[in-house]
Amino acid sequence: MERSAAGQALKSHLFTCARDVLGPWSSYLDPDHCENRALVIAPGGFISTHKDNREGDLTCVHFLTGGGAELPVNSVGTPRFVIGGPSRYFDEGRLPFESRHGYSVNPRPGLSVFFPSHVPHNQHPFEGDTPHVQVVANFRVTLPDALEERLFD
């Protein structure tokens, strides 16, 4: 996003959206930290379950493709993006009757999804003739020292 005018415009837009998501906490958003990358996922490709908490505190996935006729529906979505339940990691053991809780998102151009960077997420595989493209941006929220003690003591 650093190398083009369109990338800078998208970065500015995503920072504005991050401020809106954070609301009154937006004053703690680091204006200089936006670890970002564009992901081009080839037909049949996927992204395994992972977390982005090393790159930031608030993650945004902005979809440039998805839905629409160019990516047909398959057995798991077009392609489906899944945000895992924050109460348990995906790789932790479960009893046979326990399901993996998550929230499925059907990507479409222009849709941005924000969530805490420590929450596991993945991109299901898809079948299509064109790659699926998304931009991931991770923002840093720098809270003051001992904030919890000041708020809750």
Side-chain angles (χ1 to χ4, degrees), residues 27-123:
S27 61
Y28 300 110
L29 183 66
D30 183 338
D32 300 317
H33 183 91
C34 180
E35 189 278 341
N36 59 77
R37 61 192 169 276
L39 301 173
V40 179
I41 306 167
F46 62 94
I47 300 171
S48 296
T49 301
H50 66 284
K51 300 176 292 178
D52 292 334
N53 56 329
R54 290 184 182 169
E55 291 87 23
D57 303 303
L58 178 67
T59 295
C60 170
V61 177
H62 179 76
F63 300 101
L64 298 178
T65 62
E70 76 275 4
L71 296 176
V73 175
N74 67 24
S75 64
V76 293
T78 58
R80 183 171 58 160
F81 180 79
V82 179
I83 301 168
S87 62
R88 182 186 283 182
Y89 296 119
F90 267 39
D91 62 351
E92 287 183 329
R94 286 179 166 59
L95 296 172
F97 55 83
E98 286 185 285
S99 62
R100 294 180 186 241
H101 299 286
Y103 182 77
S104 294
V105 176
N106 184 14
R108 65 179 185 274
L111 176 67
S112 295
V113 179
F114 285 83
F115 52 92
S117 299
H118 69 271
V119 174
H121 52 284
N122 64 66
Q123 180 77 54

Side-chain angles (χ1 to χ4, degrees), residues 15-34:
F15 260 105
T16 299
C17 292
R19 285 185 200 93
D20 288 346
V21 166
L22 291 170
W25 297 97
S26 65
S27 61
Y28 300 110
L29 183 66
D30 183 338
D32 300 317
H33 183 91
C34 180

